[in-house]
Amino acid sequence: MKKSMYLSLLAVGVVLGLMLALQFRTNVGGAPYDRPQALAQELAQLEQNYQMLLKEAADLQGNLEKINEGTTMSYDALQKELQKVRLAAGMEPVTGPGVVVILENIEEDLRPGIDPSAFTIKFEDLLRVVNELRVADAKAISINGQRLVATSEIRSAGRFIDVNLVRLAPPYQIKAVGDPEKLESSLKIKGGLVDTLREWSIGVTVIPEEELTVPAYEGPVEFNYAKPLKEGENR
């Protein structure tokens, strides 16, 4: 009787030991049931956020390219406008068809008995030629390499003539860009300026050119007393 009771107690102990061992393995070695599902959801959320960031980066890159493109176009447009202004102001060299007018004093031995100073080229003679060329729509004019601009002066300086505060001496070479035929005919019209200057014993040569270059103005530009009106200011 005692032996069978011991055997029964031993069997119950073995069964309890196996159950405890199984429970221990389940709690310590295994992962919670809902952990993989939570990780999968987290991974899906991260993937969604990643795709959104990729799209946002693509949009920002597109906007940046549009801004750069617009900036380049604006810069090019400003450069073109600036070049037009510089051309109109005489700050850029120009080339094109036109005429070359050469004024020179006739040698003294060709006009004996006449005071040489009476028929030498004066600044008024240069002004007459320049005005005639401008009336004939000359786009750019220079005298002995001095580009004429809005502030240029042509004035007497004793035996010389000053242009842009630079002393020039004869012969005077005047270059004008424009329609060669129109410029030449305006000067050489019968009874016109060329005839008049020759009557005053001044040598005049007019040469049409298919292409010539008028240099840029290189002097200072200062506006000490003048400034542009701002939009909306009273005039």
Side-chain angles (χ1 to χ4, degrees):
M1 181 68 181
K2 288 184 179 178
K3 184 177 180 181
S4 61
M5 184 179 64
Y6 290 149
L7 291 174
S8 297
L9 291 174
L10 180 61
V12 172
V14 170
V15 172
L16 288 174
L18 290 173
M19 292 178 64
L20 290 173
L22 180 62
Q23 183 65 33
F24 178 78
R25 287 173 60 88
T26 301
N27 291 338
V28 174
Y33 173 75
D34 57 347
R35 182 60 175 164
Q37 186 176 1
L39 291 175
Q41 291 178 350
E42 187 175 350
L43 178 61
Q45 185 63 43
L46 289 174
E47 180 67 23
Q48 185 178 2
N49 294 341
Y50 176 69
Q51 294 298 329
M52 291 178 61
L53 289 173
L54 282 181
K55 184 178 183 303
E56 187 175 351
D59 292 342
L60 290 174
Q61 181 66 30
N63 292 336
L64 180 61
E65 291 175 355
K66 288 180 181 178
I67 291 173
N68 288 335
E69 183 180 356
T71 302
T72 302
M73 293 176 64
S74 299
Y75 178 78
D76 292 342
L78 286 174
Q79 284 294 102
K80 289 181 180 178
E81 289 300 318
L82 176 61
Q83 188 174 32
K84 288 181 182 178
V85 172
R86 288 181 60 83
L87 281 172
M91 301 299 176
E92 294 283 344
V94 295
T95 185
V99 296
V100 176
V101 183
I102 300 173
L103 300 183
E104 53 190 342
N105 293 317
I106 296 178
E107 297 293 335
E108 293 182 20
D109 56 356
L110 297 180
R111 46 184 180 181
I114 300 177
D115 182 0
S117 63
F119 298 105
T120 56
I121 300 171
K122 299 179 176 57
F123 75 95
E124 300 99 318
D125 302 320
L126 295 182
L127 282 173
R128 291 187 180 94
V129 175
V130 168
N131 287 338
E132 197 65 43
L133 292 172
R134 283 176 170 163
V135 169
D137 201 23
K139 301 302 183 185
I141 301 174
S142 67
I143 302 176
N144 286 15
Q146 291 300 313
R147 176 72 172 270
L148 299 186
V149 295
T151 57
S152 294
E153 86 295 338
I154 302 175
R155 65 188 182 93
S156 177
R159 297 171 50 207
F160 304 93
I161 295 175
D162 282 357
V163 176
N164 293 339
L165 299 178
V166 176
R167 182 155 297 179
L168 306 181
Y172 301 103
Q173 185 185 68
I174 304 170
K175 291 183 177 180
V177 173
D179 183 342
E181 183 177 353
K182 186 176 180 181
L183 295 173
E184 182 183 23
S185 62
S186 70
L187 294 170
K188 299 176 73 172
I189 187 173
K190 188 175 181 179
L193 182 58
V194 169
D195 288 345
T196 300
L197 292 174
R198 286 173 177 166
E199 287 178 4
W200 295 345
S201 299
I202 295 174
V204 184
T205 305
V206 181
I207 307 171
E209 296 281 359
E210 293 183 357
E211 184 174 354
L212 57 85
T213 299
V214 173
Y217 174 75
E218 297 180 348
V221 178
E222 297 180 354
F223 292 93
N224 296 327
Y225 302 101
K227 62 179 181 180
L229 280 174
K230 295 181 180 178
E231 187 175 356
E233 285 186 342
N234 294 328
R235 296 176 183 274

